[in-house]
Amino acid sequence: MKECVIVNASTATHDRLPPPWRGQRLAVIGFAALVVLCALWTVYGRDELLSIIATCRAEGAACSPTRLAELTFGSDGRLRLLGTVSIALPALAGAFWGAPLISRVLETGHGQLPASPRGRVHWYLTRFALAAAGTTVAAALLALLVVWWWQPAANKAHGLPWYDPAILHATGPAAVAAALFGLAAGTAAGLLLRRTLPAMITTVACVLVVRWTLHASHRVVFSPSVFTAEGTTAPPMPEGAWWSGWGFLTRTGGQAPASACAPEADMAECMSRHGFTGTFVRAYPPGDFWIFQWFDTAILLFLAVAATALVAWRLHRRVPSAPTPARTVPRPAVTTWLVPLAPAAVALGVSLWGVARRGSVWRDEAATWQAAHRSVPEIWHMLGEVDLVHGLYYFLMHGLFEAFGDSLLTLRLPSVLAMTVTVVLTALIGARLAGPTAGICAGIVLALIPTVQMYAQEGRPYALVTAGVAAAAWLLVTALDRPDRRILWAAYATTVWITALLNWFSLFTLGAHALTLILIRADRTVYRRWATAAAVAAAATLPLILASRAQSGQVSWIRPLGWSTLIAPAALLLIAAACARIPHRGSSPLTPARLGLPLLAIPQVALLLISTVKPLYLERYILYTHIGLALLLGVAGAAVVRAAATRRFAQPWLLIPMAACAAVTLLAPIENWQRSPQSRVDDVVPIAKEVAYYARPGDAVLFLPAARRDTALVTPWAFASLDDIAMDRTPAESGTLKGLELPPDKIRAAMLERRRIVLVTDAYVVARPPATARERTKQQVLDRYFHKSCETQINGRRVTVYDQT
């Protein structure tokens, strides 16, 4: 049997080839647009970086290396994003330029394939040469843009070291070689698989595997030099070497991360000032950069040449046949699996992305951190004084810290997993009410909402509350289909109750569910059983509500409602109301609009009305209302996919991942900012590094107000050499979050006995006048008997060093 070959009559006779740029214009335009956008982004980002560096250096000693690093962190994140684009270019070139080069001709017949072996090889090489030239230019320009942006802060404390993947793999000849390899791998996959979509997926996977293998080999083949110093002698490091700060600086009383001394600082002077007895430092000599580069370049070019030769050999030896029809897979089987898995993958990916936030811990997370480190009796004692509403969450985190150790991942992973569960349940609800496509869209939309991403990375209970509300909604939907199953109503009541123990504002969902039952005109049996379950859950939560009223002073800082507060809820309700009018597939009286719109509106309106009497409105208290918005937007997304199908789009489902990628790209500035320390107020970690930088053995420390003592409770290594002269009873002993301090006269006497005091307080823009006699005494003594020697403000907090006059 003869093999099928796509051949044009003129090329079969004369073997004349069409112009090589035919069929590649879209790829050329797309990559050119990508380079232009990256160039504009680089000009803006580099100018901002230079402005920050110039401003900080003009401040002199007041701008410490750690302070400068915090100020430039946003620029570092944007530079890392540009480096990520450069790293992703090989996969993009292979998937969108290399893979369709041959597979598109074989699969669709668009184009001509010569009949003679020599003509086929010539046909391939001319097109591959054009694609290789365009890819090389794009990769080289992106690499140069990364270097140009990176140069002002190259290997500095306020920049990225050369061994950072965003620099090492995004610059130099290795970046160009990787792009050529990706292109060659794409053409080889297109020829072997003969289908565009499988070839694109295979190309991306192949490029990722090869790049990751090379990255892993760096750690094995090229290990950094290790230097150790004793006493106050700086390690003998090569000139220009970058020391990573992965080790620890050891001194009497504990350990401190090596970042306490910035990489730019003189290590001998820093170690002497802090009283360090030793150090453990890994150093990367700058010459290793080119060792890595030429090692990667040689391997990637070899693989690119091998893949190109393989394609040419195959084309010369035999005529590639058209692909055989793919085996049809039943659509319901595919969509059933995709409904939970696709949204879960997106949610887990965006939640784990940047979850450490550069080691930052903000004020509320600091409360979780110190509460989880206490014993069960100490937590119970504390709940009698403060934070009763978060008691269940503190016990949960205490158990996790005991089981898995205290780390930022342990602190935030429950929220990550809870938000992933929320997304999956939302997708299942949407699929049940409006079809699989609406469910997948609803889950992905919920995962990509910036506010949801923010609290998915918080060591606080709001993500768990959202998961509980989603579980209650899913149980309600299931119970309405089978109202005679009493176990479902019991599970519903239990879920609502446990969720209310995490935050009793979640009880507003009962009002939303009541409105849903009214809209679907449920029968009396459903009303009776729902009312019983809701009453049981509310009654079981009532003791917590009454007891927590005695601690209402903890939320006295919430501001009264203003017109600006109403803008966001009003906009969300308008969007949801518009989506509620979109038709959907489903015959059940329970629709996404009848479930989602009340879930979005009732808690918002209820909390706003309560806040007119006592200010309580915070978005995180009703974070779960985004579930309702996601259900309605999922219906809108499904309608768009159906509209594309009616217009004879071959694969309309591709609109879903394309829209998700576009949303991530458009929201990238917001998402990067949310994963930076600057996104949360009162970050205790950078100010603790400043304390470690300025402190000397024997210094005293004061906290103004006393609540700023959480800095020392989360980062005790930074205060190991300091004496807390105002402390009377520790937070654990007193059952508080800030401890009990000495009377004003004893604080005054203790302060006058010291020559040097380190003050940790609020930044000027958020600082309030001293409110208690203790606070006024601290400020008066400092103003009268001491003078400032240095001061730094970072992200809502300030550290000031006072010397006695």
Side-chain angles (χ1 to χ4, degrees), residues 331 437 585 637-656:
R331 185 180 182 88
T437 304
R585 293 182 177 179
V640 173
V641 173
R642 287 200 307 272
T646 58
R647 286 166 174 76
R648 299 183 182 276
F649 278 84
Q651 295 172 322
W653 60 269
L654 283 176
L655 292 175
I656 298 176

mmCIF file of all heavy atoms in Angstrom, residues 331 437 585 637-656:
data_model
loop_
_atom_site.group_PDB
_atom_site.id
_atom_site.type_symbol
_atom_site.label_atom_id
_atom_site.label_comp_id
_atom_site.label_asym_id
_atom_site.label_seq_id
_atom_site.Cartn_x
_atom_site.Cartn_y
_atom_site.Cartn_z
ATOM 1 N N ARG A 331 -16.616 11.550 25.569
ATOM 2 C CA ARG A 331 -16.481 12.883 26.161
ATOM 3 C C ARG A 331 -16.803 12.932 27.649
ATOM 4 O O ARG A 331 -16.078 13.544 28.422
ATOM 5 C CB ARG A 331 -17.370 13.875 25.391
ATOM 6 C CG ARG A 331 -17.203 15.310 25.854
ATOM 7 C CD ARG A 331 -18.112 16.227 25.054
ATOM 8 N NE ARG A 331 -17.930 17.598 25.465
ATOM 9 C CZ ARG A 331 -17.033 18.414 24.950
ATOM 10 N NH1 ARG A 331 -16.218 17.981 24.015
ATOM 11 N NH2 ARG A 331 -16.932 19.656 25.373
ATOM 12 N N THR A 437 -18.255 21.996 31.721
ATOM 13 C CA THR A 437 -17.500 23.186 31.298
ATOM 14 C C THR A 437 -17.683 24.332 32.284
ATOM 15 O O THR A 437 -16.718 25.015 32.646
ATOM 16 C CB THR A 437 -17.943 23.618 29.894
ATOM 17 O OG1 THR A 437 -17.789 22.519 28.983
ATOM 18 C CG2 THR A 437 -17.107 24.785 29.408
ATOM 19 N N ARG A 585 -26.895 25.310 30.670
ATOM 20 C CA ARG A 585 -27.442 23.977 30.446
ATOM 21 C C ARG A 585 -27.797 23.344 31.780
ATOM 22 O O ARG A 585 -26.941 23.187 32.638
ATOM 23 C CB ARG A 585 -26.437 23.114 29.706
ATOM 24 C CG ARG A 585 -26.178 23.589 28.287
ATOM 25 C CD ARG A 585 -25.206 22.682 27.569
ATOM 26 N NE ARG A 585 -25.023 23.104 26.185
ATOM 27 C CZ ARG A 585 -24.218 22.496 25.321
ATOM 28 N NH1 ARG A 585 -23.518 21.438 25.714
ATOM 29 N NH2 ARG A 585 -24.114 22.933 24.083
ATOM 30 N N GLY A 637 -18.247 31.725 31.403
ATOM 31 C CA GLY A 637 -17.180 31.080 30.650
ATOM 32 C C GLY A 637 -17.694 29.935 29.799
ATOM 33 O O GLY A 637 -17.278 29.763 28.641
ATOM 34 N N ALA A 638 -18.613 29.142 30.333
ATOM 35 C CA ALA A 638 -19.193 28.047 29.558
ATOM 36 C C ALA A 638 -19.981 28.578 28.363
ATOM 37 O O ALA A 638 -19.978 27.968 27.280
ATOM 38 C CB ALA A 638 -20.086 27.198 30.456
ATOM 39 N N ALA A 639 -20.653 29.713 28.544
ATOM 40 C CA ALA A 639 -21.396 30.307 27.429
ATOM 41 C C ALA A 639 -20.461 30.747 26.312
ATOM 42 O O ALA A 639 -20.782 30.604 25.120
ATOM 43 C CB ALA A 639 -22.224 31.489 27.931
ATOM 44 N N VAL A 640 -19.292 31.271 26.665
ATOM 45 C CA VAL A 640 -18.311 31.666 25.650
ATOM 46 C C VAL A 640 -17.809 30.447 24.886
ATOM 47 O O VAL A 640 -17.665 30.473 23.650
ATOM 48 C CB VAL A 640 -17.140 32.417 26.312
ATOM 49 C CG1 VAL A 640 -16.026 32.673 25.299
ATOM 50 C CG2 VAL A 640 -17.621 33.733 26.905
ATOM 51 N N VAL A 641 -17.552 29.360 25.586
ATOM 52 C CA VAL A 641 -17.091 28.137 24.919
ATOM 53 C C VAL A 641 -18.166 27.611 23.973
ATOM 54 O O VAL A 641 -17.883 27.177 22.844
ATOM 55 C CB VAL A 641 -16.703 27.077 25.965
ATOM 56 C CG1 VAL A 641 -16.383 25.744 25.284
ATOM 57 C CG2 VAL A 641 -15.509 27.551 26.779
ATOM 58 N N ARG A 642 -19.435 27.644 24.400
ATOM 59 C CA ARG A 642 -20.515 27.185 23.521
ATOM 60 C C ARG A 642 -20.631 28.069 22.295
ATOM 61 O O ARG A 642 -20.862 27.586 21.175
ATOM 62 C CB ARG A 642 -21.837 27.179 24.290
ATOM 63 C CG ARG A 642 -21.963 26.063 25.305
ATOM 64 C CD ARG A 642 -23.438 25.826 25.654
ATOM 65 N NE ARG A 642 -24.093 27.058 26.065
ATOM 66 C CZ ARG A 642 -24.119 27.526 27.311
ATOM 67 N NH1 ARG A 642 -23.490 26.873 28.275
ATOM 68 N NH2 ARG A 642 -24.746 28.644 27.597
ATOM 69 N N ALA A 643 -20.469 29.391 22.489
ATOM 70 C CA ALA A 643 -20.540 30.298 21.341
ATOM 71 C C ALA A 643 -19.424 30.020 20.350
ATOM 72 O O ALA A 643 -19.628 30.073 19.132
ATOM 73 C CB ALA A 643 -20.478 31.747 21.826
ATOM 74 N N ALA A 644 -18.239 29.700 20.855
ATOM 75 C CA ALA A 644 -17.127 29.360 19.954
ATOM 76 C C ALA A 644 -17.413 28.074 19.201
ATOM 77 O O ALA A 644 -17.061 27.924 18.019
ATOM 78 C CB ALA A 644 -15.836 29.232 20.758
ATOM 79 N N ALA A 645 -18.059 27.109 19.857
ATOM 80 C CA ALA A 645 -18.373 25.845 19.189
ATOM 81 C C ALA A 645 -19.387 26.045 18.075
ATOM 82 O O ALA A 645 -19.298 25.411 17.014
ATOM 83 C CB ALA A 645 -18.897 24.839 20.205
ATOM 84 N N THR A 646 -20.359 26.934 18.266
ATOM 85 C CA THR A 646 -21.355 27.181 17.217
ATOM 86 C C THR A 646 -20.753 27.877 16.007
ATOM 87 O O THR A 646 -21.335 27.825 14.921
ATOM 88 C CB THR A 646 -22.499 28.046 17.778
ATOM 89 O OG1 THR A 646 -21.964 29.282 18.273
ATOM 90 C CG2 THR A 646 -23.213 27.316 18.903
ATOM 91 N N ARG A 647 -19.635 28.538 16.189
ATOM 92 C CA ARG A 647 -18.948 29.186 15.072
ATOM 93 C C ARG A 647 -17.885 28.282 14.453
ATOM 94 O O ARG A 647 -16.951 28.746 13.803
ATOM 95 C CB ARG A 647 -18.320 30.501 15.541
ATOM 96 C CG ARG A 647 -19.371 31.588 15.748
ATOM 97 C CD ARG A 647 -18.821 32.767 16.519
ATOM 98 N NE ARG A 647 -19.778 33.852 16.593
ATOM 99 C CZ ARG A 647 -20.851 33.872 17.391
ATOM 100 N NH1 ARG A 647 -21.099 32.829 18.164
ATOM 101 N NH2 ARG A 647 -21.672 34.902 17.393
ATOM 102 N N ARG A 648 -18.010 26.982 14.722
ATOM 103 C CA ARG A 648 -17.204 25.948 14.088
ATOM 104 C C ARG A 648 -15.719 26.046 14.461
ATOM 105 O O ARG A 648 -14.851 25.741 13.650
ATOM 106 C CB ARG A 648 -17.368 25.990 12.564
ATOM 107 C CG ARG A 648 -18.802 25.757 12.127
ATOM 108 C CD ARG A 648 -18.908 25.734 10.611
ATOM 109 N NE ARG A 648 -20.285 25.565 10.196
ATOM 110 C CZ ARG A 648 -20.906 24.391 10.097
ATOM 111 N NH1 ARG A 648 -20.252 23.282 10.405
ATOM 112 N NH2 ARG A 648 -22.163 24.318 9.700
ATOM 113 N N PHE A 649 -15.441 26.479 15.653
ATOM 114 C CA PHE A 649 -14.076 26.362 16.157
ATOM 115 C C PHE A 649 -13.782 24.885 16.374
ATOM 116 O O PHE A 649 -14.584 24.156 16.975
ATOM 117 C CB PHE A 649 -13.913 27.128 17.467
ATOM 118 C CG PHE A 649 -13.689 28.600 17.274
ATOM 119 C CD1 PHE A 649 -14.761 29.461 17.102
ATOM 120 C CD2 PHE A 649 -12.407 29.124 17.243
ATOM 121 C CE1 PHE A 649 -14.559 30.815 16.923
ATOM 122 C CE2 PHE A 649 -12.202 30.483 17.063
ATOM 123 C CZ PHE A 649 -13.273 31.332 16.897
ATOM 124 N N ALA A 650 -12.613 24.439 15.883
ATOM 125 C CA ALA A 650 -12.305 23.014 15.942
ATOM 126 C C ALA A 650 -12.197 22.518 17.380
ATOM 127 O O ALA A 650 -12.692 21.441 17.705
ATOM 128 C CB ALA A 650 -11.008 22.728 15.186
ATOM 129 N N GLN A 651 -11.558 23.280 18.247
ATOM 130 C CA GLN A 651 -11.351 22.862 19.640
ATOM 131 C C GLN A 651 -11.682 24.031 20.564
ATOM 132 O O GLN A 651 -10.797 24.701 21.093
ATOM 133 C CB GLN A 651 -9.906 22.398 19.850
ATOM 134 C CG GLN A 651 -9.565 21.133 19.058
ATOM 135 C CD GLN A 651 -8.101 20.795 19.130
ATOM 136 O OE1 GLN A 651 -7.247 21.678 19.109
ATOM 137 N NE2 GLN A 651 -7.793 19.511 19.197
ATOM 138 N N PRO A 652 -12.967 24.317 20.779
ATOM 139 C CA PRO A 652 -13.355 25.481 21.589
ATOM 140 C C PRO A 652 -12.904 25.377 23.037
ATOM 141 O O PRO A 652 -12.740 26.396 23.708
ATOM 142 C CB PRO A 652 -14.886 25.491 21.476
ATOM 143 C CG PRO A 652 -15.262 24.085 21.121
ATOM 144 C CD PRO A 652 -14.134 23.575 20.276
ATOM 145 N N TRP A 653 -12.672 24.159 23.554
ATOM 146 C CA TRP A 653 -12.253 24.015 24.939
ATOM 147 C C TRP A 653 -10.889 24.641 25.198
ATOM 148 O O TRP A 653 -10.540 24.949 26.330
ATOM 149 C CB TRP A 653 -12.226 22.546 25.337
ATOM 150 C CG TRP A 653 -11.286 21.714 24.501
ATOM 151 C CD1 TRP A 653 -11.589 21.038 23.359
ATOM 152 C CD2 TRP A 653 -9.891 21.502 24.739
ATOM 153 N NE1 TRP A 653 -10.474 20.410 22.859
ATOM 154 C CE2 TRP A 653 -9.413 20.676 23.701
ATOM 155 C CE3 TRP A 653 -9.008 21.902 25.734
ATOM 156 C CZ2 TRP A 653 -8.094 20.259 23.614
ATOM 157 C CZ3 TRP A 653 -7.693 21.492 25.661
ATOM 158 C CH2 TRP A 653 -7.236 20.677 24.612
ATOM 159 N N LEU A 654 -10.100 24.838 24.111
ATOM 160 C CA LEU A 654 -8.787 25.475 24.282
ATOM 161 C C LEU A 654 -8.922 26.912 24.784
ATOM 162 O O LEU A 654 -7.951 27.488 25.291
ATOM 163 C CB LEU A 654 -8.021 25.464 22.967
ATOM 164 C CG LEU A 654 -7.384 24.130 22.554
ATOM 165 C CD1 LEU A 654 -6.752 24.243 21.188
ATOM 166 C CD2 LEU A 654 -6.347 23.704 23.591
ATOM 167 N N LEU A 655 -10.121 27.498 24.633
ATOM 168 C CA LEU A 655 -10.319 28.861 25.137
ATOM 169 C C LEU A 655 -10.134 28.934 26.650
ATOM 170 O O LEU A 655 -9.741 29.976 27.182
ATOM 171 C CB LEU A 655 -11.712 29.356 24.754
ATOM 172 C CG LEU A 655 -11.963 29.605 23.268
ATOM 173 C CD1 LEU A 655 -13.422 29.968 23.040
ATOM 174 C CD2 LEU A 655 -11.052 30.720 22.760
ATOM 175 N N ILE A 656 -10.419 27.831 27.358
ATOM 176 C CA ILE A 656 -10.312 27.851 28.825
ATOM 177 C C ILE A 656 -8.855 28.006 29.261
ATOM 178 O O ILE A 656 -8.539 28.938 30.020
ATOM 179 C CB ILE A 656 -10.958 26.589 29.429
ATOM 180 C CG1 ILE A 656 -12.448 26.544 29.082
ATOM 181 C CG2 ILE A 656 -10.755 26.559 30.930
ATOM 182 C CD1 ILE A 656 -13.143 25.288 29.553
#
